[in-house]
Amino acid sequence: MAAKGATSSGGAKDGTSDSSSSSKKNSKKPKYSRFTQQELPACKPILTPGWVITTFIVVGIIFIPIGFASLFASEWVVEIVDRYDEDCVPHNYTYNKLAYIQNSETNKTCMKRLIVPKQMKSPVYIYYQLDNFYQNHRRYVKSRSDKQLRSRASERDTSSCKPEAVRGNNYPIVPCGLIAWSLFNDTYGFSVKNKALEVSKKNIAWKSDREHKFGSDVYPKNFQSGGLIGGAKLNASIPLSEQEDLIVWMRTAALPTFRKLYGKIETDLEANDEITVVIQNNYNIYSFGGKKSLVLSTTSWIGGKNDFLGVAYLTVGGLCLFLAISFIFLYVIMPRPLGDPSYLSWNRGQVNIWSKTVRHSFVLMKEIIFGKKAGNHMLAS
Amino acid sequence: MASERPLLIPSPRIPNSRDIYTAPVLLDLAKPNSGRPGSFSEMESKNPFESSSNVEPNFNSSSQRSVFSIQSKSDGNSIREVSFGALGSKPVRYGSRGADSEPLSMSQKEISDEDARLIYINDPAKTNERYEFAGNSIRTAKYSIITFLPRNLFEQFHRVAYIYFLVIAVLNQLPQLAVFGRGVSILPLAFVLLVTAVKDAYEDYRRHRSDRIENNMLASVLVNDQFQPKKWKDLQVGEIIRIQANETLPCDMVLLSTSDPTGVAYVQTINLDGESNLKTRYAKQETLLKMPDEGKVSGLIKCEKPNRNIYGFHANMEIDGKKLSLGPSNIVLRGCQLKNTNWAIGVIVYAGRDTKAMLNNSGAPSKRSRLETHMNSEIIILSMFLVALCVVVSVCALIWLLNHREELDYLPYYRKQDFSKPGGKDYNYYGWGMETLFAFLMSVIVFQIMIPISLYISMELVRVGQAYFMIRDTQMYDEASHSRFQCRALNINEDLGQVKYVFSDKTGTLTENKMEFQCASIWGEDYSGGNSKLEQVGYSIQVEGKVLRPKMKVKTDPELLQISKCGNDTKEGKHVGDFFLALAACNTIVPLVVDTSDPTVKIIDYQGESPDEQALVYAAATYGFMLIERTSGHIVIDIQGEKQRFDVLGLHEFDSDRKRMSVILGCPDKTVRVFVKGADSTMFSVVDKSLNTSIIRATEAHLQTYSSLGLRTLVVGMRELCASEFEQWHSSFEDASTALIGRAALLRKVASSVENNLCILGASGIEDKLQQGVPEAIESLRTSGIKVWVLTGDKQETAISIGYSSKLLTSKMTQIIINSSSKESCRRSLEDAIVMSKKLVTIAGVAGDVGGSSEAGSTPVALIIDGTSLVYVLDSELEEQLFQLASRCSVVLCCRVAPFQKAGIVDLVKNRTSDMTLAIGDGANDVSMIQMADVGVGISGQEGRQAVMASDFAMGQFRFVVPLILVHGHWNYQRMGYMILYNFYRNAVMVLVLFWYVLFTSFTLTTAINEWSSMLYSIVYTSVPTIVVGILDKDLSRRTLLQYPQLYGAGHRQECYNAKLFWLTMLDTLWQSVAVFFIPLFAYWHSSIDISSLGDLWILGVVILVNVNLAMDVIRWTWITHAAIWGSIIATFICVVIIDALPSLIGYWAIFDVASSVTFWLCLLAIVIAGLIPRFVAKYLYQYYKPSDIQIAREAEKFGNLREFGVVQIEMNPILDPPRR
């Protein structure tokens, strides 16, 4: 378009093209096609009461069962949450938890007893839950080097890892960055009736992470050797792809309260069993007012224990049914004939459409009450 | 006098024409001619104020252009040979009289040296010595390969939006602020720049190609006294070139000589101004003889600097020590074609980019659409909202920092202190003040799409799409002229949907501007053929064994035909003969004899610049007075089969002060006669009233009848000159036409000395037929609530009668007529009229708005005002009153308006209301109005392309304005309005989702959504459907819209885009963002979900929600819409999958992990349903219980109540359009 406009007054230019355009003169007429005339076959849906009410009923009918199913699934999940950060500090350190946790001399072992409320079918997942720990903090999230994790060749690719990038002058830390540095290092041992429960720590990380994201030839180097120890140390002889705790930890959590998979118990736990947990309380969350909890949970098709989806579905479904019923009611008392020209603004004159509709509905209600012609106004469409 | 007249008259009032003549002189100037409208674009009275102020030649206003256009019509025939064969004198020529019809100030001004360019004829070297004039190579292309990148970028960054983009991208490059990766942050800007650059490059390539073709054409140039071929691009100013017949001019040249012995050259200017008729150009007598044989010619031309005015040229030439003046009739412009002339030789005065054709080669002025202006206020709201969000984030970040300032050193996820180096310096921490600032800037980067930059690009694309469909619309194609609809301005498509005032020209716009001779009054006898038995007669004569007949057939009156055949035998026959002789002779028509396929038949084609003159000459030919030859010195008229030669002794051009033209003929019987033809208003003042009073009175009566029939009238008079009178005239004429200073005024004086004491011959009535479909179109426009103003130069009676025939006026209307001759009476008339119109409105029982925005009432009012009154009204405090009055009227008819007044009227309305104005016209006199109005529409008609060049939209016929406005305008407006709101919503949802997440990241602007996804969001994930819907969606079918023009009111009421809708949309946005964000948040609360998985869920949720929302609002689902919407959702999934399949990103494999759980899908479903419920409910309730007209019409369309619909509609008063409450 613009090009045409620009050249058209260029005088002779048009003169040269004149001969060709005159021969095409008849073809200058735009060709008719349904596309160019904007007349492609089309479906023109209109929100009729019938459609709207049906939609709401259908949504309600779908949502309410889903809601119930989710609620039941969530109910079925057995979950034990035990916060231990307070309890695992000896009484004499209650007012100086930081000193306790930072002191390498103190005894960090702590015993807790948990009662299984209901039978827990295996596998029982063991999570640790941290509160008020911003794994999604911008400084934290960025402080990692995915290249370095993946291959040994990019070992020195630590520019994004500051301030936990290199040790000394030129020795790169593998894995570098704040995330790896702050690796969670509490450990749990479980026993029921003095019989130790085996905790499986295999396959707790994603398979894709183990196989592609963390290299099997990358070994920890210079890790946690600096002045400030952030958390767990890693066995330098095991490649990163097998350090599953690290892999789990490095999948940064979305929210400041999060759980991470610690391991799995492959045996069923019976109701009222008393589980003894031996906790090595090493991880310092006391410096910033975090919380630590141990979570044992079974799983269902909906995941862990969470009533939210069920409640949400029931609410939405219920609302839809309620709306459907109110619209039916509205329709019965105040129907409007579709496409009625007398409602057009220029036909309506100054009469307010509401007063018209209301008047109309009064007449209708009278008819309904007195039973005259009431049948005509049943829900149509 | 006006105040004493009754104001309200039920029928058209015919004023006493005498009243008008007694008006003061000043008025007379401003009063347009009525009688001889054709020769100029219908009215062109020169504004006294204008000509006095018009000193600056480059005063580049539209009013100036209109003045120039006046001359355009006259310069073509500005020179006439005065050859009095009987005297045996050698031919004398007077050139370039056309130049003198320019404003006095122009012609009197000597060109000073510094303002002039000096051209030494045939000496290009010397010419270009001092100043290097532009060569003839032209470049319409903007860029070269080297300059493309910088220039294109420079031009693109003229847009504020891009600067915003750029600033954001640059901010993001700072390491402290790097929210996104470097590559990612440039992506949107790069994308937009690339798309535009590719488009520009393609357009430029096409221009390069055509430039190259043009530059390499060959012209024949005088080099060393021989004509040699030379490429166009090598031509230089000062060179002499020779053009052959049918060749195109390579540059602007002053004619030196032509193949015609008298130095005439005919040119066709179709490429320049679109006028297809031949124009005559003249070589100067002095140069004429020198050229053909001896190439040696030298001289100096002093001419004005290059300018855009294609109808003006002012120069003088010194040759052989003589100083000659050159005018527009001596120059031939680039792009013209030489016709009917074997060759022409000229000297190049302007070349290349200095040529008038190139200087005029600029696009239409860019306008900004109303919707976009409104949109900008909402954009400001959005930016304030953006700033507010950023402030919230930064303040929260500050509070968080201060709360944790003790812990920051050791906080595992902050670690302010750097232990890797001794000393433990702070790492990447600049104090809480800077950190807050960074937080603010980073949040601007993260929330950048709150300002929907992509909207600007989408809008451009959508407009291109809409223009495509408008151009391709078969219903706007004019079969007669083979012209398509043209979209010249690409940014005001949607304004077409809100037009409230239509200002229309009459001649050529409402009418065809194809004049047809209808009737004549000769010596007080009316020959109008009783209107019934008129038949078309193909008159023909035998010449040298060949049949010669006029190209056009004319309806004839048998009685008149009979009389004219009798010849001079009867007294009646003599009068009729004189009358037709006057018609055949007193004009500037050039007859062209054209061969036909039948060798014995030839056709005479009358070429002329005035359709009126053509009609008159064809009529004369049909009655046996066939003009068959015109040279510069004589004309040959075949009178009833007998060839007679008349010498043209002198010719006085039409000018708008005299409003008449005259020709002095030496007749075969050795008498000298002057024939005058002109507007009745000026003709009666020069008629000898002592003679034939009864004839004058009868003629006046006939004129009134004619004009009330809507005919254009001309009065013809004649006088014989005695020898002494002629001599006296001849010498003064010669003096005047050689005068260098004030030539025009002198000539005018000479003309008036001879144009007096005329004997009236009669009057003619010419019909200008209404264009096809005009009445229907006007009725549709009125019904749709648009106020139609017709601005015409015609007489009041003509205008009113055209008004009736075009259904502008109906018998139901009350007419208010204002003709005032003084400011006081004008004020009184206006005041009375306002009272009156108020009364009418109250009688109708409807309380009209004080602001006068509604004309609700059962009696529509029509205002008829004339140009004289407008002189007092415009630019005075009366404007306000006129506006008040006019806004109560559904129709306004302004007659006898001058071009500059047209623009003034448009301006009056535009300044006082926010309503959209549309001006439509076809001629140069409409240019000012077209440019003034919000939307300018040009009709590519008989009067050239000026109007089209100035317009935003151009089309072939007036009636296309109905589909243009009512159908396409409505669609475009609805689409664009929806698209803007949708884009606001779409981006705001995304921003809010990002914002909610920021609240959970200790205000550090981490984005859960992958940076690629958030950049692709507005480019790929959601852009295509909105563009497709913006181009293709239709709320109503064309048929419905045309059938019920009232539906157009939606645009007037701003139903598709207004502040209320904006705020409702924003509320909805808020809710939807809450649904998108919090459903997954709570569903995954206390779970082990990672940041990327949740981010994927959020982005998919947003994209699906936003697209389904669009789907819910789509009115018309075609396969394209389906493909776009569902395709976008699928494309989003694919993109997310691809992004998550890159192991280098932290979200590796997240989508596969999260999508394998049921919760993910349940969340998506819940987001869509919960997000859309409020909108759905509101939409249903609104549509069902408070339906808009459009909604009802849509239902009617679907459920087939249209017939019933129609019946009711007809019963109702179609003009009512009460404001909706």
Side-chain angles (χ1 to χ4, degrees), chain A residues 97-207:
Chain A
K97 295 179 186 124
L98 209 54
Y100 164 74
I101 202 81
Q102 284 175 337
N103 188 346
S104 56
E105 302 299 310
T106 50
N107 178 17
K108 302 285 178 10
T109 312
C110 160
M111 299 269 278
K112 295 225 48 163
R113 289 174 208 288
L114 308 173
I115 307 293
V116 179
K118 267 196 273 178
Q119 192 207 24
M120 295 172 89
K121 284 243 159 76
S122 72
V124 177
Y125 292 92
I126 306 162
Y127 299 95
Y128 51 90
Q129 177 179 323
L130 297 182
D131 274 63
N132 201 17
F133 189 105
Y134 285 89
Q135 254 207 329
N136 57 14
H137 194 284
R138 127 161 258 99
R139 284 170 80 102
Y140 188 78
V141 168
K142 298 198 132 196
S143 187
R144 62 188 283 159
S145 166
D146 285 293
K147 276 190 188 155
Q148 189 204 47
L149 295 176
R150 209 143 54 100
S151 84
R152 189 171 197 164
S154 336
E155 197 175 82
R156 299 192 160 271
D157 201 338
T158 58
S159 56
S160 57
C161 290
K162 284 175 194 164
E164 210 49 48
V166 286
R167 186 67 56 233
N169 269 340
N170 214 3
Y171 302 105
I173 300 172
V174 184
C176 69
L178 283 182
I179 307 182
W181 171 78
S182 61
L183 179 59
F184 187 72
N185 58 355
D186 285 6
T187 56
Y188 313 114
F190 298 89
S191 57
V192 179
K193 297 167 188 159
N194 294 329
K195 208 176 86 192
L197 284 172
E198 196 186 325
V199 176
S200 157
K201 302 209 49 150
K202 277 278 158 219
N203 295 339
I204 55 171
W206 294 4
K207 192 163 164 266

Side-chain angles (χ1 to χ4, degrees), chain B residues 124-180:
Chain B
K126 194 173 174 191
T127 307
N128 289 292
E129 199 172 63
R130 201 144 65 98
Y131 306 106
E132 186 74 24
F133 293 129
N136 198 41
S137 121
I138 57 147
R139 257 175 68 91
T140 53
K142 275 194 213 156
Y143 317 110
S144 72
I145 291 176
I146 303 154
T147 61
F148 179 77
L149 209 59
R151 265 200 80 178
N152 187 260
L153 285 179
F154 177 73
E155 272 174 30
Q156 292 202 38
F157 278 112
H158 272 304
R159 282 180 240 191
V160 181
Y162 289 13
I163 305 254
Y164 173 78
F165 253 141
L166 185 69
V167 168
I168 298 275
V170 166
L171 276 183
N172 193 64
Q173 304 306 314
L174 300 175
Q176 291 83 18
L177 300 179
V179 180
F180 302 116

